């Protein structure tokens, strides 16, 4: 087994280490979500945490890690006899993004359950993670049905496996830790709220600190055991401090003054629900215990707010995470308790000997100075903004109008792509539409079809009792229909004919609205723009709709209208994406007034390019941006060439009186 990188050897990333340590002190805080760019030690720090966690007492031989002092009365391995116990290190269980449902919750032997009435259950990752850490790397890419199972287990503290009337339940209480790169997409709000704390991490821009990061990484890779031995004393000190803080935690006093500050802060930042208040209270208490104090101070409440609120105040994926610290300080000052609860700290260093002071971190003496987390992280798209392809008449970017709720646009037919909420698809989850022989492991039994397949063979199989003699060949998989996510590729006209500021503002608002809809329906998105003499891929297909919104916001306009170039570039993007993800179907949204200029026969060229999409059966919709009393109907003609549908900006609104067919290829029967 490889030696993990020591937790105390991680350079910088103070907020990340603090959030993880607070959860080690008080698992009731509710876990950590770590957001940040690539290569910022997110996974390294999380994996190193397990070595610092205190050991847990377990019932010997129990596959579900029951506590011998209060065993689960419903444990599938129970009832447990008193006295048979031992201890082991706390586990850190990793949930792969591509895991199956059976791997997460466990598998029930349906054949034995039907034939023998035996609950033969193989525990899954939720059982392994009980009383430990469940770590999900790239948690924002986790499939929706796995997210639903995680939400249920986190809310109830138990996991349920239900298969055709046969059920198994076991306790599953775990510390949920997730890491993600926001450029690859955002989390569902329900799962986001389940994380107690969140931290933003970024690589240090200080040369000395970066040098120290490389030095330690190379030293660990050359001699992992020797490197870990050099940090053993620091690791032991932090482990002992966690144990001491856990023992002190029940004695920490959360006074009325601190509670008023917590409630006022949550109200001031308009967070939804009451979970934020509870998490802040638990975090502030853990901070006091970590600092060796029995009173919660204003500085604890302030730090708790910075960790517990940023991800709860976002209303949509385009809102920047974070808190206004000036507003936070004003709120804390206004609602400071007169009795000293939550008041200022009279002792500027109540734990001078502790690593990092109150709420501080175990910092080695040789750690270079500088805060890597304080460095500004470049916004999505920084350094990657496409260069303008035509100079004449270029205007500064117009601001997007207020987004609105859009009509549902979907791809016709029945797909088999990744789970989502846009178009119909064959899925493992959804309504049952039939039965088939299982291909691989059986996941969803179709009971009636299984009984029907087994019934004719009962006499030949020598059935003599009441039980049904079932063979593996009799088992039938339920065929289900649900929803899939699509690739929504926006092809946006940024030419001079669209450059009127009011008009471009409305266009950007419409695209922003469609992006928000794509986020809610779990789609991938891409952005192609055309202007001047060429087209640019402003954003390759990605799950990050906020990255697409950032590119849209800075989109310049002006120049001629190379419509054909835009369509051809979009066609090439789809060709490449089919090789990467052949099951994901595409929806092309062309935002234009339909005009085409520049080069010989621009209209004819655009028509030929559009017919490529029609020939391949690509679903498409043209958002007609033509305005004014005289309309040429060019966008409608383009939609006909594409084999799609044209809608105006007004018709795109969900509350519009004008009807919009949900199937964007309503003029063509679904294959």
């Amino acid at each position: 087994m490889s030696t993990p990188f020591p937790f105390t050897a991680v350079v910088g990333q103070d907020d990340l280490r603090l959030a993880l340590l607070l959860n080690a002190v008080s698992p009731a805080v509710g876990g950590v979500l770590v957001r940040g760019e690539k290569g910022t030690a997110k996974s390294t720090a999380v994996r190193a945490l397990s070595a610092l966690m205190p050991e847990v007492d377990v019932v010997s031989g129990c596959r579900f890690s029951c506590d011998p002092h209060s065993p689960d009365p419903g444990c599938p391995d129970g009832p447990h006899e008193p006295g048979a116990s031992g201890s082991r290190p706390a586990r850190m269980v990793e949930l792969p993004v591509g895991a199956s449902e059976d791997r997460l919750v466990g598998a029930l032997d349906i054949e034995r359950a039907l034939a023998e009435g035996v609950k033969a259950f193989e525990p899954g990752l939720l059982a392994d993670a009980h009383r430990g850490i469940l770590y999900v790397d790239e948690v924002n890419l986790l499939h929706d049905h796995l997210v639903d199972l995680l939400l249920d287990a986190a809310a109830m503290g138990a996991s349920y496996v239900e298969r055709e009337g046969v059920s198994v339940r076991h306790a599953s209480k775990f510390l949920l830790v997730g890491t993600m790169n926001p450029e690859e997409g955002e989390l569902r709000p329900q799962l986001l709220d389940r994380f107690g704390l969140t931290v933003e991490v970024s690589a240090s821009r200080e040369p000395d600190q970066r040098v120290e990061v490389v030095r330690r990484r190379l030293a660990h890779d050359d001699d992992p055991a020797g490197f870990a031995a050099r940090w053993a004393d620091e690791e032991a000190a932090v482990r002992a401090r966690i144990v001491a803080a856990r023992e002190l935690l029940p004695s920490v006093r959360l006074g009325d003054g601190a509670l008023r500050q917590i409630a006022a802060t949550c109200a001031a930042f308009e967070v939804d629900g009451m979970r934020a208040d509870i998490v802040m209270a638990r975090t502030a208490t853990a901070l006091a215990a970590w600092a060796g104090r029995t009173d919660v101070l204003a500085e604890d409440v302030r730090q708790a707010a910075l960790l517990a609120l940023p991800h709860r105040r976002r209303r949509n994926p385009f809102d920047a995470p974070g808190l206004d610290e000036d507003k936070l300080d004003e709120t804390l000052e206004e609602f400071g308790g007169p009795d000293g609860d939550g008041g200022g700290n009279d002792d500027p260093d109540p734990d001078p000997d502790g690593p990092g002071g109150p709420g501080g971190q175990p910092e080695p003496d040789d750690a270079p100075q500088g805060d890597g987390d304080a460095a500004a992280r470049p916004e999505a798209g920084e350094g990657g903004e496409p260069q303008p392809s035509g100079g004449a008449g270029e205007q500064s970017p117009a601001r997007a109008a207020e987004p609105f709720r859009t009509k549902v646009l979907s791809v016709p037919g029945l797909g088999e792509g990744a789970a989502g909420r846009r178009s119909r698809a064959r899925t493992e989850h959804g309504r049952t539409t039939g039965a088939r022989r299982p291909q691989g492991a059986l996941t969803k039994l179709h009971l009636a079809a299984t009984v029907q397949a087994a019934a004719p063979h009962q006499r030949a199989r020598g059935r003599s009792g009441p039980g049904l003699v079932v063979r593996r060949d009799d088992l039938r998989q339920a065929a289900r229909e649900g929803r899939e996510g699509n690739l929504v590729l926006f092809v946006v006209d940024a030419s001079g004919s669209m450059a009127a500021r009011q008009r471009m503002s409305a266009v950007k608002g419409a695209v922003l609205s469609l992006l928000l809809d794509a986020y809610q329906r779990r789609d991938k998105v891409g952005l192609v723009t055309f202007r001047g003499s060429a087209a640019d891929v402003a954003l390759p297909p990605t799950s990050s709709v906020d990255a697409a919104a950032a590119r849209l916001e800075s989109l310049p306009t002006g120049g001629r209208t190379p419509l054909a170039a835009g369509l051809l570039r979009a066609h090439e993007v789809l060709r490449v994406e089919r090789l990467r993800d052949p099951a994901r179907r595409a929806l092309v949204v062309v935002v234009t007034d339909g005009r085409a200029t520049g080069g010989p026969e621009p209209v004819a060229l655009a028509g030929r390019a559009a017919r490529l999409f029609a020939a391949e059966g690509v679903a498409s919709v043209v958002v007609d941006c033509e305005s004014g009393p005289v309309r040429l109907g060019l966008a409608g003609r383009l939609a006909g060439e594409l084999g799609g549908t044209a809608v105006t900006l007004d018709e795109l609104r969900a509350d519009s009186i004008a009807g919009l067919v949900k199937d964007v290829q309503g003029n063509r029967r679904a294959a």
Side-chain angles (χ1 to χ4, degrees):
M1 181 176 177
S2 61
T3 304
F5 195 90
F7 186 86
T8 51
V10 175
V11 179
Q13 309 298 13
D14 294 343
D15 286 346
L16 168 58
R17 294 192 292 158
L18 177 59
L20 292 172
L21 288 170
L22 292 177
N23 276 274
V25 170
S26 175
V29 166
V32 187
L33 174 64
V34 188
R35 298 164 46 95
E37 57 196 18
K38 305 176 289 292
T40 48
K42 299 189 298 291
S43 300
T44 299
V46 173
R47 292 189 175 102
L49 177 67
S50 59
L52 300 179
M53 298 287 286
E55 290 192 339
V56 294
D57 295 330
V58 295
V59 174
S60 299
C62 177
R63 298 174 297 166
F64 301 88
S65 302
C66 277
D67 186 345
H69 306 296
S70 60
D72 178 12
C75 176
D77 284 355
H80 298 299
E81 296 295 329
S85 64
S87 62
R88 61 161 176 78
R91 291 175 181 155
M92 192 192 73
V93 177
E94 294 196 40
L95 171 61
V97 168
S100 66
E101 180 180 338
D102 283 352
R103 184 71 187 99
L104 179 61
V105 301
L108 195 64
D109 192 328
I110 300 297
E111 187 175 358
R112 290 188 64 192
L114 288 176
E116 305 171 30
V118 176
K119 293 181 181 179
F121 180 68
E122 183 65 30
L125 295 177
L126 289 178
D128 293 342
H130 180 45
R131 304 177 66 205
I133 303 170
L134 182 62
Y135 172 46
V136 190
D137 193 13
E138 306 294 350
V139 63
N140 51 325
L141 304 182
L142 200 63
H143 288 177
D144 272 5
H145 68 284
L146 297 183
V147 170
D148 293 336
L149 293 169
L150 273 183
L151 289 174
D152 288 344
M156 297 184 292
S159 174
Y160 293 83
V161 182
E162 302 280 351
R163 295 288 173 84
E164 306 299 338
V166 181
S167 65
V168 173
R169 172 217 167 271
H170 64 83
S172 182
K173 297 179 181 179
F174 47 82
L175 173 61
L176 182 61
V177 181
T179 55
M180 60 175 281
N181 184 347
E183 293 179 358
E184 296 173 340
E186 286 292 342
L187 274 179
R188 283 172 54 183
Q190 294 91 336
L191 182 56
L192 194 62
D193 191 48
R194 286 293 174 188
F195 288 98
L197 310 179
T198 184
V199 291
E200 294 276 340
V201 298
S202 61
S204 171
R205 300 306 188 251
E206 293 290 334
D208 289 343
Q209 198 169 50
R210 295 176 74 97
V211 166
E212 186 63 21
V213 169
V214 175
R215 181 181 291 123
R216 294 186 189 182
R217 184 77 251 182
L218 294 178
H220 175 266
D221 292 346
D222 290 342
D223 182 11
F227 184 82
R230 291 197 293 274
W231 290 90
D233 291 343
E234 286 81 355
E235 294 280 288
V238 174
R239 193 178 299 111
R241 190 176 175 188
I242 291 173
V243 173
R246 281 191 173 190
E247 293 174 352
L248 182 62
L249 189 64
S251 304
V252 175
R253 188 174 70 96
L254 183 65
D256 289 343
L259 280 172
R260 279 196 300 271
Q261 287 184 317
I262 289 170
T265 301
C266 292
F269 286 99
E270 300 180 347
V271 296
D272 295 331
M274 294 298 298
R275 185 174 282 121
D277 303 62
I278 297 169
V279 170
M280 271 190 68
R282 289 171 173 165
T283 305
T285 304
L287 279 162
W290 176 248
R293 289 186 268 100
T294 56
D295 284 314
V296 173
L297 304 178
E299 64 194 57
D300 300 322
V301 176
R302 186 182 193 279
Q303 183 65 61
L306 293 174
L307 293 173
L309 297 188
H311 60 302
R312 292 187 166 89
R313 58 165 295 276
R314 302 185 78 192
R315 291 295 183 268
N316 65 62
F318 311 133
D319 291 339
L323 291 182
D324 182 341
E325 296 195 29
D326 291 337
K327 180 178 178 180
L328 174 60
D329 291 335
E330 290 172 6
T331 304
L332 293 176
E333 184 177 351
E334 180 182 353
F335 289 90
D339 55 354
D341 293 338
N345 182 9
D346 295 333
D347 182 356
D349 189 4
D351 186 16
D353 297 326
Q361 304 309 311
E363 283 290 348
D365 292 337
D366 60 341
Q369 299 300 311
D371 183 4
D373 291 329
R377 185 167 69 89
E379 293 294 327
E382 181 175 323
E385 184 66 38
Q387 296 299 315
S389 52
E394 181 172 316
Q395 299 184 12
S396 60
R399 293 186 62 84
E402 191 68 23
F404 52 84
R405 190 166 64 90
T406 65
K407 291 281 189 179
V408 180
L409 306 176
S410 61
V411 179
L414 200 61
E416 295 181 341
R421 297 191 184 88
R422 183 170 297 278
S423 305
R424 294 172 55 218
R426 299 181 187 90
T427 62
E428 290 296 320
H429 302 268
R431 62 186 182 89
T432 301
T433 57
R436 57 179 174 81
R437 289 182 181 273
Q439 299 171 348
L442 178 73
T443 55
K444 295 291 182 182
L445 179 75
H446 195 295
L447 182 59
T450 298
V451 172
Q452 187 176 8
H457 308 291
Q458 297 304 296
R459 182 175 297 176
R461 292 173 182 173
R463 173 184 170 186
S464 57
L468 189 68
V469 181
V470 179
R471 302 279 170 81
R472 182 159 294 277
D473 288 345
D474 302 327
L475 299 179
R476 293 294 182 268
Q477 174 85 21
R480 300 187 176 225
E481 183 179 310
R483 291 275 165 180
E484 67 176 1
N486 299 117
L487 166 60
V488 182
L489 182 60
F490 294 93
V491 185
V492 179
D493 184 350
S495 66
S497 66
M498 302 279 289
R501 295 194 70 80
Q502 186 175 358
R503 187 177 177 192
M504 198 62 199
S505 176
V507 168
K508 285 187 175 183
V511 177
L512 200 63
S513 304
L514 290 167
L515 282 172
L516 186 57
D517 181 67
Y519 162 74
Q520 293 166 341
R521 298 184 187 281
R522 313 298 288 171
D523 294 317
K524 290 179 72 173
V525 296
L527 179 62
V528 173
T529 64
F530 57 93
R531 56 182 289 270
S533 59
D536 295 300
V537 181
L539 185 73
T542 175
S543 296
S544 177
V545 295
D546 53 347
R551 299 296 174 91
L552 180 72
E553 190 68 28
S554 59
L555 180 67
T557 58
R560 294 182 176 179
T561 312
L563 178 57
L567 295 174
L568 291 173
R569 180 58 64 92
H571 186 268
E572 176 63 17
V573 169
L574 292 185
R575 185 190 68 79
V576 173
E577 194 62 19
R578 280 193 209 104
L579 299 176
R580 294 175 179 160
D581 191 358
R584 189 181 289 270
R585 298 186 296 163
L587 171 63
V588 176
V589 179
V590 185
V591 184
T592 181
D593 57 9
R595 289 182 171 84
T597 60
E601 300 183 339
V603 176
L605 280 175
R608 286 200 291 273
R611 287 192 288 276
L612 292 175
F613 292 87
E616 295 175 1
V618 177
S620 59
V621 59
V622 177
V623 179
D624 185 359
C625 302
E626 192 174 25
S627 60
V630 179
R631 305 206 174 199
L632 303 178
L634 298 176
R637 194 179 310 165
L638 175 64
E641 299 276 13
L642 286 165
T645 302
V647 296
T648 65
L649 289 174
D650 287 337
E651 290 171 336
L652 194 60
R653 293 179 178 270
D655 53 2
S656 170
I657 354 178
L660 173 64
V661 280
K662 290 185 178 182
D663 186 337
V664 299
Q665 287 187 311
N667 59 331
R668 187 173 70 233
R669 288 182 178 272

